[in-house]
Amino acid sequence: AQTVTQSQPEMSVQEAETVTLSCTYDTSESNYYLFWYKQPPSRQMILVIRQEAYKQQNATENRFSVNFQKAAKSFSLKISDSQLGDTAMYFCAFMNQGGSEKLVFGKGTKLTVNP
Amino acid sequence: EPEVTQTPSHQVTQMGQEVILRCVPISNHLYFYWYRQILGQKVEFLVSFYNNEISEKSEIFDDQFSVERPDGSNFTLKIRSTKLEDSAMYFCASRRESRETQYFGPGTRLLVL
């Protein structure tokens, strides 16, 4: 079974600075997808970014980018120019290709952006 | 932009009562999911549904749970006899095709007293 580990329960960053959230995963599969979801205090789950394992290029979405290291099974999220609205729980998630393609989540990292 | 909707947003019920949580997935989506998040914990998979049948269920999804797609738009989760430990946020998610991203609804906060 796949597992996802987020080793940082909480992090904080000053507004406008850069922060990196860590995620590692364990799988024996070769075709899979990785995601970062954001959960603000409203508890809505919002997709931040997605990475296909077969792609070597790291995904980028505006201020959000990932560092995907397939051999190390590492998938970190970098937030540049942090904004107060980035304050949220961030969940790393794994999806195996094939079957039900359910998401397997990590325990989350609570990020606080300070003014 | 189309989105997944869920009703009710909050539900309070007595232990032993039945509850039905409702979801309207994005209209052209074919794959449907329920997840659960107990307060302060991670999001856990409950069940996936495709082509009018369950494709996978977790060990949490016991005989007290059932899912249904009663018409072309709704996707429901029924808990037949609620327990205190069923108190959680329940998320519905959907996606259009295999390998595509799942989009989540805003969740239903269930409190069992």
Side-chain angles (χ1 to χ4, degrees), chain A residues 33 35 37 39 43-45 47 50 91 97 100-103 105-106, chain B residues 33 35 37 42 45 48 56 91 95 98-102 104-106 109:
Chain A
Y33 301 80
F35 304 84
Y37 282 88
Q39 188 180 46
R43 297 188 73 184
Q44 169 95 46
M45 294 290 286
L47 176 70
R50 161 192 166 114
F91 291 97
Q97 182 178 321
S100 72
E101 296 188 343
K102 67 186 180 194
L103 289 168
F105 286 88
Chain B
Y33 301 82
Y35 293 85
Q37 185 184 31
K42 67 177 177 180
F45 167 76
S48 58
E56 185 176 349
F91 291 102
R95 62 180 169 91
S98 177
R99 293 172 284 176
E100 290 205 347
T101 298
Q102 291 180 31
F104 282 75
R109 190 172 302 204

PDB file of all heavy atoms in Angstrom, chain A residues 33 35 37 39 43-45 47 50 91 97 100-103 105-106, chain B residues 33 35 37 42 45 48 56 91 95 98-102 104-106 109:
ATOM      1  N   TYR A  33       0.607   9.762  -9.907  1.00  0.00           N
ATOM      2  CA  TYR A  33       0.461  11.215  -9.924  1.00  0.00           C
ATOM      3  C   TYR A  33       0.572  11.731  -8.490  1.00  0.00           C
ATOM      4  O   TYR A  33       0.178  11.041  -7.541  1.00  0.00           O
ATOM      5  CB  TYR A  33      -0.910  11.610 -10.503  1.00  0.00           C
ATOM      6  CG  TYR A  33      -1.113  11.097 -11.910  1.00  0.00           C
ATOM      7  CD1 TYR A  33      -1.479   9.778 -12.145  1.00  0.00           C
ATOM      8  CD2 TYR A  33      -0.901  11.933 -13.005  1.00  0.00           C
ATOM      9  CE1 TYR A  33      -1.636   9.296 -13.427  1.00  0.00           C
ATOM     10  CE2 TYR A  33      -1.065  11.459 -14.293  1.00  0.00           C
ATOM     11  CZ  TYR A  33      -1.425  10.137 -14.499  1.00  0.00           C
ATOM     12  OH  TYR A  33      -1.573   9.665 -15.778  1.00  0.00           O
ATOM     13  N   PHE A  35       0.005  15.274  -5.941  1.00  0.00           N
ATOM     14  CA  PHE A  35      -0.759  16.512  -5.837  1.00  0.00           C
ATOM     15  C   PHE A  35      -0.433  17.231  -4.527  1.00  0.00           C
ATOM     16  O   PHE A  35      -0.068  16.610  -3.532  1.00  0.00           O
ATOM     17  CB  PHE A  35      -2.272  16.219  -5.814  1.00  0.00           C
ATOM     18  CG  PHE A  35      -2.770  15.428  -6.980  1.00  0.00           C
ATOM     19  CD1 PHE A  35      -2.693  14.038  -6.976  1.00  0.00           C
ATOM     20  CD2 PHE A  35      -3.323  16.061  -8.078  1.00  0.00           C
ATOM     21  CE1 PHE A  35      -3.160  13.289  -8.045  1.00  0.00           C
ATOM     22  CE2 PHE A  35      -3.787  15.324  -9.160  1.00  0.00           C
ATOM     23  CZ  PHE A  35      -3.705  13.940  -9.133  1.00  0.00           C
ATOM     24  N   TYR A  37      -2.776  19.752  -2.196  1.00  0.00           N
ATOM     25  CA  TYR A  37      -4.059  20.397  -1.971  1.00  0.00           C
ATOM     26  C   TYR A  37      -3.916  21.357  -0.799  1.00  0.00           C
ATOM     27  O   TYR A  37      -3.209  21.087   0.164  1.00  0.00           O
ATOM     28  CB  TYR A  37      -5.151  19.376  -1.638  1.00  0.00           C
ATOM     29  CG  TYR A  37      -5.713  18.622  -2.824  1.00  0.00           C
ATOM     30  CD1 TYR A  37      -5.125  17.440  -3.274  1.00  0.00           C
ATOM     31  CD2 TYR A  37      -6.852  19.078  -3.488  1.00  0.00           C
ATOM     32  CE1 TYR A  37      -5.650  16.749  -4.346  1.00  0.00           C
ATOM     33  CE2 TYR A  37      -7.389  18.375  -4.572  1.00  0.00           C
ATOM     34  CZ  TYR A  37      -6.779  17.220  -4.987  1.00  0.00           C
ATOM     35  OH  TYR A  37      -7.310  16.520  -6.058  1.00  0.00           O
ATOM     36  N   GLN A  39      -5.992  23.489   2.182  1.00  0.00           N
ATOM     37  CA  GLN A  39      -7.244  23.508   2.944  1.00  0.00           C
ATOM     38  C   GLN A  39      -7.228  24.715   3.862  1.00  0.00           C
ATOM     39  O   GLN A  39      -6.648  24.689   4.948  1.00  0.00           O
ATOM     40  CB  GLN A  39      -7.423  22.213   3.740  1.00  0.00           C
ATOM     41  CG  GLN A  39      -8.791  22.105   4.392  1.00  0.00           C
ATOM     42  CD  GLN A  39      -8.976  20.818   5.181  1.00  0.00           C
ATOM     43  OE1 GLN A  39      -8.107  20.418   5.949  1.00  0.00           O
ATOM     44  NE2 GLN A  39     -10.111  20.173   5.003  1.00  0.00           N
ATOM     45  N   ARG A  43     -12.078  24.849   5.312  1.00  0.00           N
ATOM     46  CA  ARG A  43     -11.933  23.403   5.157  1.00  0.00           C
ATOM     47  C   ARG A  43     -12.259  22.889   3.750  1.00  0.00           C
ATOM     48  O   ARG A  43     -12.311  21.692   3.530  1.00  0.00           O
ATOM     49  CB  ARG A  43     -12.712  22.636   6.226  1.00  0.00           C
ATOM     50  CG  ARG A  43     -12.188  22.941   7.626  1.00  0.00           C
ATOM     51  CD  ARG A  43     -12.791  22.055   8.689  1.00  0.00           C
ATOM     52  NE  ARG A  43     -12.261  20.695   8.619  1.00  0.00           N
ATOM     53  CZ  ARG A  43     -12.692  19.693   9.395  1.00  0.00           C
ATOM     54  NH1 ARG A  43     -13.645  19.903  10.264  1.00  0.00           N
ATOM     55  NH2 ARG A  43     -12.176  18.482   9.278  1.00  0.00           N
ATOM     56  N   GLN A  44     -12.442  23.793   2.821  1.00  0.00           N
ATOM     57  CA  GLN A  44     -12.560  23.376   1.421  1.00  0.00           C
ATOM     58  C   GLN A  44     -11.219  22.824   0.958  1.00  0.00           C
ATOM     59  O   GLN A  44     -10.168  23.330   1.327  1.00  0.00           O
ATOM     60  CB  GLN A  44     -12.936  24.606   0.573  1.00  0.00           C
ATOM     61  CG  GLN A  44     -12.839  24.407  -0.913  1.00  0.00           C
ATOM     62  CD  GLN A  44     -14.162  24.007  -1.538  1.00  0.00           C
ATOM     63  OE1 GLN A  44     -15.187  24.592  -1.246  1.00  0.00           O
ATOM     64  NE2 GLN A  44     -14.143  23.017  -2.404  1.00  0.00           N
ATOM     65  N   MET A  45     -11.225  21.780   0.152  1.00  0.00           N
ATOM     66  CA  MET A  45      -9.997  21.201  -0.412  1.00  0.00           C
ATOM     67  C   MET A  45      -9.792  21.788  -1.806  1.00  0.00           C
ATOM     68  O   MET A  45     -10.606  21.581  -2.702  1.00  0.00           O
ATOM     69  CB  MET A  45     -10.111  19.681  -0.511  1.00  0.00           C
ATOM     70  CG  MET A  45     -10.191  18.983   0.822  1.00  0.00           C
ATOM     71  SD  MET A  45      -8.655  19.055   1.730  1.00  0.00           S
ATOM     72  CE  MET A  45      -7.678  17.888   0.817  1.00  0.00           C
ATOM     73  N   LEU A  47      -7.191  22.305  -5.082  1.00  0.00           N
ATOM     74  CA  LEU A  47      -5.998  21.818  -5.770  1.00  0.00           C
ATOM     75  C   LEU A  47      -5.014  22.966  -5.965  1.00  0.00           C
ATOM     76  O   LEU A  47      -5.380  24.032  -6.444  1.00  0.00           O
ATOM     77  CB  LEU A  47      -6.382  21.238  -7.128  1.00  0.00           C
ATOM     78  CG  LEU A  47      -5.191  20.777  -7.980  1.00  0.00           C
ATOM     79  CD1 LEU A  47      -4.558  19.532  -7.377  1.00  0.00           C
ATOM     80  CD2 LEU A  47      -5.631  20.522  -9.417  1.00  0.00           C
ATOM     81  N   ARG A  50      -0.238  19.763  -9.557  1.00  0.00           N
ATOM     82  CA  ARG A  50      -0.260  18.341  -9.888  1.00  0.00           C
ATOM     83  C   ARG A  50       1.008  17.996 -10.677  1.00  0.00           C
ATOM     84  O   ARG A  50       1.470  18.801 -11.485  1.00  0.00           O
ATOM     85  CB  ARG A  50      -1.497  18.077 -10.744  1.00  0.00           C
ATOM     86  CG  ARG A  50      -1.519  16.811 -11.560  1.00  0.00           C
ATOM     87  CD  ARG A  50      -2.653  16.847 -12.563  1.00  0.00           C
ATOM     88  NE  ARG A  50      -2.508  15.810 -13.566  1.00  0.00           N
ATOM     89  CZ  ARG A  50      -3.343  14.785 -13.707  1.00  0.00           C
ATOM     90  NH1 ARG A  50      -4.379  14.659 -12.895  1.00  0.00           N
ATOM     91  NH2 ARG A  50      -3.149  13.898 -14.647  1.00  0.00           N
ATOM     92  N   PHE A  91      -1.897  19.597   2.083  1.00  0.00           N
ATOM     93  CA  PHE A  91      -1.842  18.144   2.051  1.00  0.00           C
ATOM     94  C   PHE A  91      -1.180  17.678   0.762  1.00  0.00           C
ATOM     95  O   PHE A  91      -1.555  18.105  -0.334  1.00  0.00           O
ATOM     96  CB  PHE A  91      -3.250  17.541   2.122  1.00  0.00           C
ATOM     97  CG  PHE A  91      -3.928  17.727   3.446  1.00  0.00           C
ATOM     98  CD1 PHE A  91      -4.817  18.761   3.641  1.00  0.00           C
ATOM     99  CD2 PHE A  91      -3.675  16.855   4.489  1.00  0.00           C
ATOM    100  CE1 PHE A  91      -5.453  18.931   4.865  1.00  0.00           C
ATOM    101  CE2 PHE A  91      -4.303  17.006   5.715  1.00  0.00           C
ATOM    102  CZ  PHE A  91      -5.193  18.057   5.905  1.00  0.00           C
ATOM    103  N   GLN A  97      -1.915   5.172 -10.880  1.00  0.00           N
ATOM    104  CA  GLN A  97      -2.647   5.060 -12.136  1.00  0.00           C
ATOM    105  C   GLN A  97      -3.263   3.677 -12.234  1.00  0.00           C
ATOM    106  O   GLN A  97      -2.611   2.672 -12.000  1.00  0.00           O
ATOM    107  CB  GLN A  97      -1.700   5.282 -13.319  1.00  0.00           C
ATOM    108  CG  GLN A  97      -2.401   5.237 -14.665  1.00  0.00           C
ATOM    109  CD  GLN A  97      -1.455   5.517 -15.803  1.00  0.00           C
ATOM    110  OE1 GLN A  97      -0.574   6.364 -15.700  1.00  0.00           O
ATOM    111  NE2 GLN A  97      -1.620   4.793 -16.889  1.00  0.00           N
ATOM    112  N   SER A 100      -9.123   2.199  -8.880  1.00  0.00           N
ATOM    113  CA  SER A 100     -10.043   3.275  -8.507  1.00  0.00           C
ATOM    114  C   SER A 100      -9.398   4.650  -8.585  1.00  0.00           C
ATOM    115  O   SER A 100     -10.086   5.657  -8.606  1.00  0.00           O
ATOM    116  CB  SER A 100     -10.573   3.055  -7.099  1.00  0.00           C
ATOM    117  OG  SER A 100      -9.552   3.293  -6.139  1.00  0.00           O
ATOM    118  N   GLU A 101      -8.082   4.700  -8.580  1.00  0.00           N
ATOM    119  CA  GLU A 101      -7.333   5.970  -8.598  1.00  0.00           C
ATOM    120  C   GLU A 101      -7.762   6.869  -7.436  1.00  0.00           C
ATOM    121  O   GLU A 101      -7.958   8.071  -7.595  1.00  0.00           O
ATOM    122  CB  GLU A 101      -7.463   6.658  -9.959  1.00  0.00           C
ATOM    123  CG  GLU A 101      -6.836   5.818 -11.055  1.00  0.00           C
ATOM    124  CD  GLU A 101      -6.745   6.499 -12.406  1.00  0.00           C
ATOM    125  OE1 GLU A 101      -7.447   7.509 -12.622  1.00  0.00           O
ATOM    126  OE2 GLU A 101      -5.981   6.011 -13.260  1.00  0.00           O
ATOM    127  N   LYS A 102      -7.899   6.267  -6.273  1.00  0.00           N
ATOM    128  CA  LYS A 102      -8.196   7.035  -5.069  1.00  0.00           C
ATOM    129  C   LYS A 102      -6.972   7.858  -4.692  1.00  0.00           C
ATOM    130  O   LYS A 102      -5.831   7.558  -5.075  1.00  0.00           O
ATOM    131  CB  LYS A 102      -8.539   6.084  -3.928  1.00  0.00           C
ATOM    132  CG  LYS A 102      -7.345   5.246  -3.499  1.00  0.00           C
ATOM    133  CD  LYS A 102      -7.721   4.207  -2.481  1.00  0.00           C
ATOM    134  CE  LYS A 102      -6.479   3.410  -2.103  1.00  0.00           C
ATOM    135  NZ  LYS A 102      -6.788   2.179  -1.362  1.00  0.00           N
ATOM    136  N   LEU A 103      -7.198   8.886  -3.901  1.00  0.00           N
ATOM    137  CA  LEU A 103      -6.105   9.698  -3.381  1.00  0.00           C
ATOM    138  C   LEU A 103      -5.700   9.187  -2.002  1.00  0.00           C
ATOM    139  O   LEU A 103      -6.552   8.879  -1.167  1.00  0.00           O
ATOM    140  CB  LEU A 103      -6.544  11.157  -3.269  1.00  0.00           C
ATOM    141  CG  LEU A 103      -6.730  11.896  -4.601  1.00  0.00           C
ATOM    142  CD1 LEU A 103      -7.430  13.223  -4.375  1.00  0.00           C
ATOM    143  CD2 LEU A 103      -5.392  12.111  -5.277  1.00  0.00           C
ATOM    144  N   PHE A 105      -3.582  10.529   1.178  1.00  0.00           N
ATOM    145  CA  PHE A 105      -3.101  11.816   1.694  1.00  0.00           C
ATOM    146  C   PHE A 105      -2.077  11.641   2.797  1.00  0.00           C
ATOM    147  O   PHE A 105      -2.100  10.669   3.561  1.00  0.00           O
ATOM    148  CB  PHE A 105      -4.281  12.622   2.269  1.00  0.00           C
ATOM    149  CG  PHE A 105      -5.193  13.201   1.234  1.00  0.00           C
ATOM    150  CD1 PHE A 105      -6.262  12.462   0.745  1.00  0.00           C
ATOM    151  CD2 PHE A 105      -4.999  14.489   0.748  1.00  0.00           C
ATOM    152  CE1 PHE A 105      -7.124  12.998  -0.215  1.00  0.00           C
ATOM    153  CE2 PHE A 105      -5.849  15.029  -0.200  1.00  0.00           C
ATOM    154  CZ  PHE A 105      -6.905  14.277  -0.681  1.00  0.00           C
ATOM    155  N   GLY A 106      -1.202  12.634   2.910  1.00  0.00           N
ATOM    156  CA  GLY A 106      -0.360  12.775   4.083  1.00  0.00           C
ATOM    157  C   GLY A 106      -1.145  13.461   5.200  1.00  0.00           C
ATOM    158  O   GLY A 106      -2.307  13.841   5.018  1.00  0.00           O
TER     159      GLY A 106
ATOM    160  N   TYR B  33     -16.240   9.950  -5.608  1.00  0.00           N
ATOM    161  CA  TYR B  33     -15.548   9.504  -4.405  1.00  0.00           C
ATOM    162  C   TYR B  33     -16.158  10.156  -3.172  1.00  0.00           C
ATOM    163  O   TYR B  33     -16.680  11.274  -3.240  1.00  0.00           O
ATOM    164  CB  TYR B  33     -14.067   9.935  -4.452  1.00  0.00           C
ATOM    165  CG  TYR B  33     -13.304   9.394  -5.635  1.00  0.00           C
ATOM    166  CD1 TYR B  33     -13.377  10.028  -6.876  1.00  0.00           C
ATOM    167  CD2 TYR B  33     -12.521   8.252  -5.532  1.00  0.00           C
ATOM    168  CE1 TYR B  33     -12.696   9.533  -7.969  1.00  0.00           C
ATOM    169  CE2 TYR B  33     -11.818   7.750  -6.621  1.00  0.00           C
ATOM    170  CZ  TYR B  33     -11.910   8.397  -7.839  1.00  0.00           C
ATOM    171  OH  TYR B  33     -11.233   7.909  -8.917  1.00  0.00           O
ATOM    172  N   TYR B  35     -14.667  10.929   0.783  1.00  0.00           N
ATOM    173  CA  TYR B  35     -13.554  10.937   1.720  1.00  0.00           C
ATOM    174  C   TYR B  35     -14.057  11.467   3.051  1.00  0.00           C
ATOM    175  O   TYR B  35     -15.059  12.181   3.110  1.00  0.00           O
ATOM    176  CB  TYR B  35     -12.421  11.853   1.230  1.00  0.00           C
ATOM    177  CG  TYR B  35     -11.716  11.389  -0.024  1.00  0.00           C
ATOM    178  CD1 TYR B  35     -12.223  11.701  -1.285  1.00  0.00           C
ATOM    179  CD2 TYR B  35     -10.547  10.629   0.045  1.00  0.00           C
ATOM    180  CE1 TYR B  35     -11.581  11.277  -2.443  1.00  0.00           C
ATOM    181  CE2 TYR B  35      -9.894  10.206  -1.106  1.00  0.00           C
ATOM    182  CZ  TYR B  35     -10.421  10.536  -2.342  1.00  0.00           C
ATOM    183  OH  TYR B  35      -9.779  10.115  -3.485  1.00  0.00           O
ATOM    184  N   GLN B  37     -12.695  13.274   6.879  1.00  0.00           N
ATOM    185  CA  GLN B  37     -11.624  13.902   7.643  1.00  0.00           C
ATOM    186  C   GLN B  37     -12.115  14.149   9.057  1.00  0.00           C
ATOM    187  O   GLN B  37     -12.919  15.066   9.290  1.00  0.00           O
ATOM    188  CB  GLN B  37     -11.173  15.206   6.994  1.00  0.00           C
ATOM    189  CG  GLN B  37      -9.966  15.836   7.687  1.00  0.00           C
ATOM    190  CD  GLN B  37      -9.596  17.175   7.106  1.00  0.00           C
ATOM    191  OE1 GLN B  37     -10.440  17.921   6.629  1.00  0.00           O
ATOM    192  NE2 GLN B  37      -8.304  17.510   7.136  1.00  0.00           N
ATOM    193  N   LYS B  42      -5.866  13.500   8.990  1.00  0.00           N
ATOM    194  CA  LYS B  42      -5.730  13.558   7.532  1.00  0.00           C
ATOM    195  C   LYS B  42      -7.016  13.116   6.850  1.00  0.00           C
ATOM    196  O   LYS B  42      -7.911  12.528   7.458  1.00  0.00           O
ATOM    197  CB  LYS B  42      -4.562  12.701   7.066  1.00  0.00           C
ATOM    198  CG  LYS B  42      -4.743  11.211   7.258  1.00  0.00           C
ATOM    199  CD  LYS B  42      -3.538  10.476   6.695  1.00  0.00           C
ATOM    200  CE  LYS B  42      -3.635   8.980   6.914  1.00  0.00           C
ATOM    201  NZ  LYS B  42      -2.462   8.279   6.367  1.00  0.00           N
ATOM    202  N   PHE B  45      -9.754   8.052   2.456  1.00  0.00           N
ATOM    203  CA  PHE B  45     -10.621   7.522   1.411  1.00  0.00           C
ATOM    204  C   PHE B  45     -11.686   6.613   2.010  1.00  0.00           C
ATOM    205  O   PHE B  45     -11.391   5.769   2.862  1.00  0.00           O
ATOM    206  CB  PHE B  45      -9.765   6.749   0.404  1.00  0.00           C
ATOM    207  CG  PHE B  45     -10.530   5.886  -0.549  1.00  0.00           C
ATOM    208  CD1 PHE B  45     -11.217   6.443  -1.618  1.00  0.00           C
ATOM    209  CD2 PHE B  45     -10.555   4.510  -0.394  1.00  0.00           C
ATOM    210  CE1 PHE B  45     -11.904   5.649  -2.517  1.00  0.00           C
ATOM    211  CE2 PHE B  45     -11.244   3.699  -1.293  1.00  0.00           C
ATOM    212  CZ  PHE B  45     -11.921   4.274  -2.352  1.00  0.00           C
ATOM    213  N   SER B  48     -15.058   4.604  -3.774  1.00  0.00           N
ATOM    214  CA  SER B  48     -15.078   5.145  -5.134  1.00  0.00           C
ATOM    215  C   SER B  48     -16.200   4.471  -5.915  1.00  0.00           C
ATOM    216  O   SER B  48     -16.557   3.313  -5.627  1.00  0.00           O
ATOM    217  CB  SER B  48     -13.732   4.930  -5.830  1.00  0.00           C
ATOM    218  OG  SER B  48     -13.406   3.560  -5.871  1.00  0.00           O
ATOM    219  N   GLU B  56     -14.063   0.577  -5.421  1.00  0.00           N
ATOM    220  CA  GLU B  56     -13.199   0.249  -4.293  1.00  0.00           C
ATOM    221  C   GLU B  56     -13.786   0.849  -3.032  1.00  0.00           C
ATOM    222  O   GLU B  56     -14.397   1.924  -3.075  1.00  0.00           O
ATOM    223  CB  GLU B  56     -11.771   0.786  -4.499  1.00  0.00           C
ATOM    224  CG  GLU B  56     -10.804   0.363  -3.406  1.00  0.00           C
ATOM    225  CD  GLU B  56      -9.367   0.803  -3.654  1.00  0.00           C
ATOM    226  OE1 GLU B  56      -9.048   1.272  -4.769  1.00  0.00           O
ATOM    227  OE2 GLU B  56      -8.550   0.670  -2.725  1.00  0.00           O
ATOM    228  N   PHE B  91     -16.176  14.689   2.495  1.00  0.00           N
ATOM    229  CA  PHE B  91     -15.957  15.346   1.212  1.00  0.00           C
ATOM    230  C   PHE B  91     -16.368  14.417   0.075  1.00  0.00           C
ATOM    231  O   PHE B  91     -16.011  13.242   0.057  1.00  0.00           O
ATOM    232  CB  PHE B  91     -14.480  15.692   1.018  1.00  0.00           C
ATOM    233  CG  PHE B  91     -13.962  16.761   1.917  1.00  0.00           C
ATOM    234  CD1 PHE B  91     -13.209  16.452   3.033  1.00  0.00           C
ATOM    235  CD2 PHE B  91     -14.231  18.097   1.655  1.00  0.00           C
ATOM    236  CE1 PHE B  91     -12.713  17.432   3.873  1.00  0.00           C
ATOM    237  CE2 PHE B  91     -13.741  19.103   2.480  1.00  0.00           C
ATOM    238  CZ  PHE B  91     -12.989  18.770   3.599  1.00  0.00           C
ATOM    239  N   ARG B  95     -14.210  13.223 -10.848  1.00  0.00           N
ATOM    240  CA  ARG B  95     -13.312  13.504 -11.967  1.00  0.00           C
ATOM    241  C   ARG B  95     -13.932  12.978 -13.240  1.00  0.00           C
ATOM    242  O   ARG B  95     -14.797  12.115 -13.201  1.00  0.00           O
ATOM    243  CB  ARG B  95     -11.916  12.914 -11.745  1.00  0.00           C
ATOM    244  CG  ARG B  95     -11.873  11.412 -11.623  1.00  0.00           C
ATOM    245  CD  ARG B  95     -10.450  10.937 -11.397  1.00  0.00           C
ATOM    246  NE  ARG B  95     -10.415   9.540 -11.021  1.00  0.00           N
ATOM    247  CZ  ARG B  95     -10.297   8.540 -11.898  1.00  0.00           C
ATOM    248  NH1 ARG B  95     -10.198   8.802 -13.185  1.00  0.00           N
ATOM    249  NH2 ARG B  95     -10.276   7.288 -11.487  1.00  0.00           N
ATOM    250  N   SER B  98     -10.183   8.775 -16.362  1.00  0.00           N
ATOM    251  CA  SER B  98      -9.052   8.153 -15.701  1.00  0.00           C
ATOM    252  C   SER B  98      -7.834   9.078 -15.783  1.00  0.00           C
ATOM    253  O   SER B  98      -7.627   9.762 -16.781  1.00  0.00           O
ATOM    254  CB  SER B  98      -8.746   6.821 -16.380  1.00  0.00           C
ATOM    255  OG  SER B  98      -7.616   6.222 -15.810  1.00  0.00           O
ATOM    256  N   ARG B  99      -7.086   9.121 -14.725  1.00  0.00           N
ATOM    257  CA  ARG B  99      -5.840   9.871 -14.588  1.00  0.00           C
ATOM    258  C   ARG B  99      -6.054  11.383 -14.462  1.00  0.00           C
ATOM    259  O   ARG B  99      -5.093  12.134 -14.385  1.00  0.00           O
ATOM    260  CB  ARG B  99      -4.877   9.578 -15.751  1.00  0.00           C
ATOM    261  CG  ARG B  99      -4.375   8.150 -15.739  1.00  0.00           C
ATOM    262  CD  ARG B  99      -3.584   7.817 -16.978  1.00  0.00           C
ATOM    263  NE  ARG B  99      -4.448   7.610 -18.116  1.00  0.00           N
ATOM    264  CZ  ARG B  99      -4.013   7.371 -19.351  1.00  0.00           C
ATOM    265  NH1 ARG B  99      -2.723   7.341 -19.609  1.00  0.00           N
ATOM    266  NH2 ARG B  99      -4.860   7.188 -20.335  1.00  0.00           N
ATOM    267  N   GLU B 100      -7.270  11.818 -14.433  1.00  0.00           N
ATOM    268  CA  GLU B 100      -7.504  13.242 -14.265  1.00  0.00           C
ATOM    269  C   GLU B 100      -7.610  13.624 -12.782  1.00  0.00           C
ATOM    270  O   GLU B 100      -7.817  12.782 -11.917  1.00  0.00           O
ATOM    271  CB  GLU B 100      -8.753  13.675 -15.014  1.00  0.00           C
ATOM    272  CG  GLU B 100      -8.568  13.624 -16.512  1.00  0.00           C
ATOM    273  CD  GLU B 100      -9.490  14.562 -17.246  1.00  0.00           C
ATOM    274  OE1 GLU B 100     -10.448  15.084 -16.641  1.00  0.00           O
ATOM    275  OE2 GLU B 100      -9.267  14.765 -18.458  1.00  0.00           O
ATOM    276  N   THR B 101      -7.489  14.902 -12.535  1.00  0.00           N
ATOM    277  CA  THR B 101      -7.530  15.431 -11.174  1.00  0.00           C
ATOM    278  C   THR B 101      -8.922  15.296 -10.585  1.00  0.00           C
ATOM    279  O   THR B 101      -9.921  15.493 -11.279  1.00  0.00           O
ATOM    280  CB  THR B 101      -7.112  16.905 -11.197  1.00  0.00           C
ATOM    281  OG1 THR B 101      -5.769  16.981 -11.686  1.00  0.00           O
ATOM    282  CG2 THR B 101      -7.192  17.527  -9.809  1.00  0.00           C
ATOM    283  N   GLN B 102      -8.972  14.976  -9.292  1.00  0.00           N
ATOM    284  CA  GLN B 102     -10.247  14.975  -8.580  1.00  0.00           C
ATOM    285  C   GLN B 102     -10.526  16.377  -8.048  1.00  0.00           C
ATOM    286  O   GLN B 102      -9.638  17.029  -7.498  1.00  0.00           O
ATOM    287  CB  GLN B 102     -10.189  14.003  -7.398  1.00  0.00           C
ATOM    288  CG  GLN B 102     -10.115  12.556  -7.815  1.00  0.00           C
ATOM    289  CD  GLN B 102     -10.070  11.613  -6.642  1.00  0.00           C
ATOM    290  OE1 GLN B 102     -10.625  11.895  -5.575  1.00  0.00           O
ATOM    291  NE2 GLN B 102      -9.410  10.487  -6.819  1.00  0.00           N
ATOM    292  N   PHE B 104     -12.907  18.572  -5.429  1.00  0.00           N
ATOM    293  CA  PHE B 104     -13.628  18.346  -4.186  1.00  0.00           C
ATOM    294  C   PHE B 104     -14.774  19.325  -4.006  1.00  0.00           C
ATOM    295  O   PHE B 104     -14.690  20.494  -4.392  1.00  0.00           O
ATOM    296  CB  PHE B 104     -12.669  18.490  -3.000  1.00  0.00           C
ATOM    297  CG  PHE B 104     -11.787  17.286  -2.800  1.00  0.00           C
ATOM    298  CD1 PHE B 104     -10.715  17.044  -3.636  1.00  0.00           C
ATOM    299  CD2 PHE B 104     -12.042  16.389  -1.775  1.00  0.00           C
ATOM    300  CE1 PHE B 104      -9.904  15.933  -3.468  1.00  0.00           C
ATOM    301  CE2 PHE B 104     -11.234  15.272  -1.588  1.00  0.00           C
ATOM    302  CZ  PHE B 104     -10.169  15.047  -2.433  1.00  0.00           C
ATOM    303  N   GLY B 105     -15.817  18.845  -3.348  1.00  0.00           N
ATOM    304  CA  GLY B 105     -16.873  19.727  -2.878  1.00  0.00           C
ATOM    305  C   GLY B 105     -16.446  20.409  -1.586  1.00  0.00           C
ATOM    306  O   GLY B 105     -15.383  20.105  -1.035  1.00  0.00           O
ATOM    307  N   PRO B 106     -17.282  21.305  -1.077  1.00  0.00           N
ATOM    308  CA  PRO B 106     -16.935  22.072   0.124  1.00  0.00           C
ATOM    309  C   PRO B 106     -17.055  21.272   1.423  1.00  0.00           C
ATOM    310  O   PRO B 106     -16.629  21.742   2.468  1.00  0.00           O
ATOM    311  CB  PRO B 106     -17.939  23.225   0.115  1.00  0.00           C
ATOM    312  CG  PRO B 106     -19.104  22.675  -0.626  1.00  0.00           C
ATOM    313  CD  PRO B 106     -18.560  21.736  -1.654  1.00  0.00           C
ATOM    314  N   ARG B 109     -20.105  18.934   7.313  1.00  0.00           N
ATOM    315  CA  ARG B 109     -19.607  18.704   8.659  1.00  0.00           C
ATOM    316  C   ARG B 109     -20.685  17.962   9.434  1.00  0.00           C
ATOM    317  O   ARG B 109     -21.758  18.509   9.691  1.00  0.00           O
ATOM    318  CB  ARG B 109     -19.275  20.027   9.329  1.00  0.00           C
ATOM    319  CG  ARG B 109     -18.530  19.885  10.634  1.00  0.00           C
ATOM    320  CD  ARG B 109     -18.061  21.223  11.131  1.00  0.00           C
ATOM    321  NE  ARG B 109     -17.198  21.912  10.175  1.00  0.00           N
ATOM    322  CZ  ARG B 109     -16.306  22.827  10.499  1.00  0.00           C
ATOM    323  NH1 ARG B 109     -16.151  23.164  11.744  1.00  0.00           N
ATOM    324  NH2 ARG B 109     -15.592  23.445   9.587  1.00  0.00           N
TER     325      ARG B 109
END
